[in-house]
Amino acid sequence: MRTHTTRALAVATASLLTLGIAACGGTSKGDNSGAAGPASTATADPNAALKEGLKIAFLPKQLNNPYSDVLAGGGEVAVGELKGEYKLVGPNDAAASSQVSYINTLIQQQQDVIGIAANDPNAVCPSLQQARQAGIKIVSFDSDASRDCRDVFINQATTQGIGESLATMANELAGGEGEIAILSATPNATNQNAWIKVVEEELKKPEYSKLKLVKTVYGNDEDQKSFQEAQGLLRSYPNLKVIVSPTTVGIAAAARYVSSSSYKGKVAITGLGLPNQMREYVKDGTVSKFALWVPSDIGYLAAYAGAALASGRITGAEGETFTAGKLGEYTIAANGEIVLGPPTEFTAQNIDQFDF
Amino acid sequence: MSELRGRLASWDSVIIAVTAVVVVAASIGVENFGNSTNFTFLILDLLPIALIALPMTLIVITGEIDLSVASTLGLTSAIMGDLWNRGLTIETIIPLCVLIGALLGAVNGVLINRLGLPSLAVTIGTLALYRGLALVVLGDAAVADFPWTFTGWVTGTIGGGPIPNVLIVLVVLAVLFGLVLHATPVGRSLFAIGANDRAARFSGINVTRTKFWLYVVSGAIAGLAGVLWTLRYSSARADNGAGLELAVVAAVLLGGVSIFGGRGSLWGVLSGVLLLATLQNALRLRDVSGQALNIVTGVLLIASVLLPNVIAGVRDSLRRRRLRAVPAKSS
């Protein structure tokens, strides 16, 4: 009985092991046997009428995330303008593969357009391919899917655009000369570092010659750490004129410190922030301007791009143009990328128009 | 004993019947549910849960649990990505990953059976440990460039029809596990261990060794599920399958396996898996939100633990009343 039991279980394990073994030969990373996506053969008709009644579904990274909700909210407004059917679905967790069953469901429901912020550019790929084969147009936004799995990608802003905007704001606030410092997130945050690099390049230009970047510090996107780093900067550099923080956590923490200290009115804070977080510091004069893309515009633009694709106005090829309602005309850049535009600057004059 | 078996049979038939009703109702009442593409999606979605539920059924029947399965899946997936990056052939990587899964299971087995630690505590520990190791192996990177012949096979169907290729793997293993559990002395010894560990020991069953091998098999299957998961999503990631252990345990309990051991059947569990997957799929097609899906799963889970006990309680009290009534009548 005893040997019986263990032998049977051991046999089960062994057969499992062999189950995985495929034929000899061997396929390794070097072999070029990856799947290529179907090439788009459609031609664009720029004069095609925008179809009404299009079924446009939004699949954000995760539902019930304030940022995602605002993105999708913009999409809902646009689908309303387009007289389409809006739908918002999505997983409760942002795991790599949770979106796949939702894509499958949307294929079953024969949607015309899927707008997706991909949690994993590759995990969603086979399903998106299947959706495209079923004639569904795929618009990725916020976070791109692999290039051959979607028709177009709505990029909120280019790295260059954000870096330039940060440099311009710092220069204006410093009055054209003086010391500035950067309060970033983590030392290895890819997007932050790319923006900072652009800022450094910009500062080499003659018009910024009197501006001096004295230090870049990292608050790790933690409120308390960012607060302390801002405090440290002002102590180490008494002549500091501007702190640029390209992270919503950092800029809010820095503004909170300055607004409650003797530096208020002497040191300017700017960077990328959320209007709702920054409103009180704009109102009390600590912050006179900061920037961010308008998240609802991303969803809005995604819906219009989807409608243009589904109506045959565009195919996603470089150079094609379409009109996106209140946002105006857009041209598709290389790799099917559509850039929303330069970040929006928020000041005491316009901040009350934004709620996010 | 016969009453025990009767009660067990009744819960199994309840779950199988409910599953049948739900499937038929969804086919009629939910648009796009009954077509062949959706069938493929449904099978692909339930596959990892169904696979892992097979050894889990055996483990829970012996009165133990393995909560580390989803982390084993994630670690296997991460290792698979790493080995692929290092240039190993996929034909080597796949059996290696199943073997690694078996080794991870063996670690659980040693801790639980040789050192005599409670399985709940050990596997909660390895749940965290294996997920942590997965992050060490691959970080937050993802490996995606697996060969199309393999990823295509996992997402593909037999002859382009509705039946997914991977269903073959599930059917073969389900039959194997079904036979072992219900038609061999091994299976009977598992029920005996679950019903009364000590009695099983005295009757000559090597409880320690049996349980050890169960964890090895569980790890190997989780490793296999990790391989199939990675190929299905073309994405080796450390967070693959996060939270899956709860879905598996839910399906096992819903399928009528007693959490205290000694009772259950593989057919019940497989219908439990099918029931959960069908409900999720159909409700999603009807645009029911993810939160509502969680609520449905939670209610089903509680009902599946509560109802058999309520039924048993009612029967017990009826029987007791009958027993009390008998002498009164005869006197």
Side-chain angles (χ1 to χ4, degrees):
Chain A
M1 178 73 174
R2 176 164 77 199
T3 45
H4 222 103
T5 312
T6 48
R7 197 182 301 156
L9 287 170
V11 168
T13 322
S15 53
L16 262 174
L17 290 175
T18 45
L19 196 80
I21 303 176
C24 319
T27 318
S28 62
K29 194 178 172 73
D31 305 345
N32 190 14
S33 50
S40 174
T41 49
T43 47
D45 173 11
N47 302 316
L50 276 185
K51 288 183 190 161
E52 285 188 4
L54 287 171
K55 289 158 87 174
I56 300 179
F58 277 79
L59 177 52
K61 286 185 166 184
Q62 181 179 12
L63 282 192
N64 304 316
N65 164 312
Y67 186 70
S68 295
D69 291 349
V70 177
L71 290 184
E76 185 169 14
V77 171
V79 175
E81 290 173 12
L82 290 158
K83 299 190 174 60
E85 278 178 50
Y86 168 83
K87 175 180 290 196
L88 174 66
V89 295
N92 289 323
D93 60 284
S97 39
S98 317
Q99 289 177 316
V100 169
S101 9
Y102 286 92
I103 299 171
N104 294 344
T105 304
L106 295 173
I107 298 175
Q108 290 297 306
Q109 294 173 336
Q110 291 148 19
Q111 300 289 316
D112 294 299
V113 177
I114 298 176
I116 180 171
N119 281 329
D120 178 308
N122 298 299
V124 290
C125 211
S127 300
L128 289 182
Q129 292 284 20
Q130 224 164 342
R132 292 180 78 192
Q133 277 156 25
I136 302 173
K137 302 297 176 190
I138 309 296
V139 180
S140 64
F141 61 94
D142 186 40
S143 167
D144 200 3
S146 286
R147 200 192 304 161
D148 51 355
C149 312
R150 47 83 173 154
D151 293 283
V152 293
F153 169 51
I154 308 295
N155 198 350
Q156 47 261 48
T158 58
T159 303
Q160 187 67 28
I162 291 173
E164 280 172 11
S165 156
L166 291 173
T168 315
M169 290 191 300
N171 190 44
E172 280 174 27
L173 294 171
E177 62 179 318
E179 292 179 353
I180 65 167
I182 293 176
L183 169 61
S184 184
T186 55
N188 51 5
T190 321
N191 52 357
Q192 312 272 332
N193 286 347
W195 298 330
I196 293 171
K197 206 161 175 233
V198 175
V199 172
E200 286 167 354
E201 289 299 315
E202 284 291 298
L203 292 184
K204 289 176 186 161
K205 289 184 178 169
E207 63 259 43
Y208 298 125
S209 61
K210 289 180 185 158
L211 221 53
K212 190 174 168 227
L213 176 59
V214 290
K215 192 163 193 189
T216 299
V217 293
Y218 301 94
N220 293 343
D221 259 353
E222 291 164 18
D223 180 71
Q224 200 189 337
K225 179 97 178 6
S226 305
F227 189 90
Q228 289 164 351
E229 289 294 336
Q231 213 170 7
L233 276 176
L234 293 174
R235 227 177 274 141
S236 325
Y237 301 95
N239 299 320
L240 198 66
K241 281 193 163 168
V242 184
I243 296 179
V244 182
S245 185
T247 151
T248 57
V249 178
I251 190 176
R256 197 171 76 245
Y257 171 62
V258 169
S259 74
S260 60
S261 74
S262 58
Y263 297 104
K264 186 173 170 185
K266 292 175 193 148
V267 177
I269 305 292
T270 190
L272 304 177
L274 294 163
N276 286 352
Q277 270 184 327
M278 300 302 291
R279 200 177 316 275
E280 61 172 299
Y281 307 116
V282 170
K283 298 258 156 125
D284 77 3
T286 310
V287 175
S288 59
K289 85 175 18 173
F290 65 99
L292 199 68
W293 45 87
V294 179
S296 58
D297 284 352
I298 298 171
Y300 185 91
L301 179 53
Y304 268 93
L309 283 164
S311 308
R313 274 200 179 180
I314 55 171
T315 62
E318 188 175 354
E320 291 171 354
T321 58
F322 67 101
T323 309
K326 63 170 188 193
L327 295 177
E329 194 172 86
Y330 280 86
T331 305
I332 302 176
N335 300 324
E337 200 174 298
I338 301 167
V339 180
L340 179 64
T344 300
E345 282 187 6
F346 303 100
T347 60
Q349 280 75 51
N350 73 359
I351 194 162
D352 283 337
Q353 296 161 23
F354 299 94
D355 181 21
F356 64 88
Chain B
M1 187 63 197
S2 71
E3 205 210 338
L4 189 75
R5 200 167 287 167
R7 202 192 298 162
L8 158 72
S10 72
W11 182 252
D12 276 12
S13 17
V14 167
I15 265 313
I16 293 170
V18 169
T19 308
V21 169
V22 169
V23 171
V24 171
S27 307
I28 298 168
V30 179
E31 209 186 340
N32 299 316
F33 177 85
N35 68 42
S36 63
T37 335
N38 195 52
F39 175 76
T40 315
F41 292 152
L42 184 66
I43 299 297
L44 284 173
D45 279 355
L46 66 76
L47 180 85
I49 299 175
L51 277 182
I52 297 175
L54 299 173
M56 187 72 84
T57 305
L58 273 54
I59 290 178
V60 177
I61 282 176
T62 64
E64 304 287 347
I65 200 156
D66 183 355
L67 292 179
S68 71
V69 282
S71 297
T72 303
L73 186 158
L75 179 50
T76 317
S77 178
I79 291 174
M80 187 173 171
D82 186 56
L83 294 178
W84 178 249
N85 273 344
R86 287 168 194 271
L88 267 70
T89 67
I90 191 109
E91 289 84 352
T92 323
I93 293 174
I94 292 174
L96 206 57
C97 281
V98 178
L99 184 67
I100 289 165
L103 285 176
L104 296 172
V107 172
N108 282 331
V110 167
L111 291 172
I112 293 162
N113 299 302
R114 301 288 164 190
L115 301 184
L117 303 172
S119 60
L120 186 68
V122 167
T123 57
I124 285 178
T126 47
L127 177 151
L129 172 69
Y130 294 166
R131 190 64 75 185
L133 288 175
L135 284 162
V136 170
V137 171
L138 212 56
D140 57 1
V143 179
D145 51 350
F146 295 100
W148 168 247
T149 35
F150 285 80
T151 55
W153 187 83
V154 172
T155 50
T157 57
I158 300 171
I163 301 166
N165 294 321
V166 285
L167 190 60
I168 305 169
V169 180
L170 178 61
V171 168
V172 168
L173 287 172
V175 168
L176 196 74
F177 274 87
L179 287 176
V180 168
L181 181 63
H182 296 295
T184 64
V186 180
R188 282 195 292 281
S189 68
L190 297 181
F191 283 106
I193 294 169
N196 190 332
D197 191 304
R198 188 173 286 192
R201 242 176 251 274
F202 283 135
S203 65
I205 298 169
N206 190 332
V207 175
T208 312
R209 203 183 294 177
T210 307
K211 282 188 181 174
F212 171 79
W213 280 100
L214 282 181
Y215 281 94
V216 174
V217 172
S218 175
I221 295 272
L224 177 68
V227 168
L228 293 174
W229 183 293
T230 307
L231 292 175
R232 182 196 171 190
Y233 296 111
S234 309
S235 186
R237 287 179 64 111
D239 67 350
N240 274 350
L244 199 70
E245 66 279 339
L246 293 181
V248 173
V249 172
V252 168
L253 297 187
L254 186 62
V257 177
S258 165
I259 191 74
F260 306 110
R263 278 199 281 143
S265 83
L266 207 67
W267 321 125
V269 169
L270 288 174
S271 17
V273 173
L274 183 62
L275 178 59
L276 281 177
T278 304
L279 278 173
Q280 299 251 336
N281 181 296
L283 291 177
R284 237 176 239 160
L285 280 170
R286 293 295 294 264
D287 289 331
V288 172
S289 72
Q291 293 90 306
L293 288 179
N294 284 351
I295 293 170
V296 169
T297 315
V299 168
L300 268 177
L301 189 57
I302 292 173
S304 70
V305 179
L306 199 64
L307 273 179
N309 283 319
V310 169
I311 295 170
V314 170
R315 278 196 191 165
D316 271 2
S317 73
L318 282 177
R319 196 179 45 147
R320 239 175 277 130
R321 199 176 299 169
R322 252 199 326 268
L323 286 177
R324 246 178 288 141
V326 171
K329 266 180 199 165
S330 67
S331 66

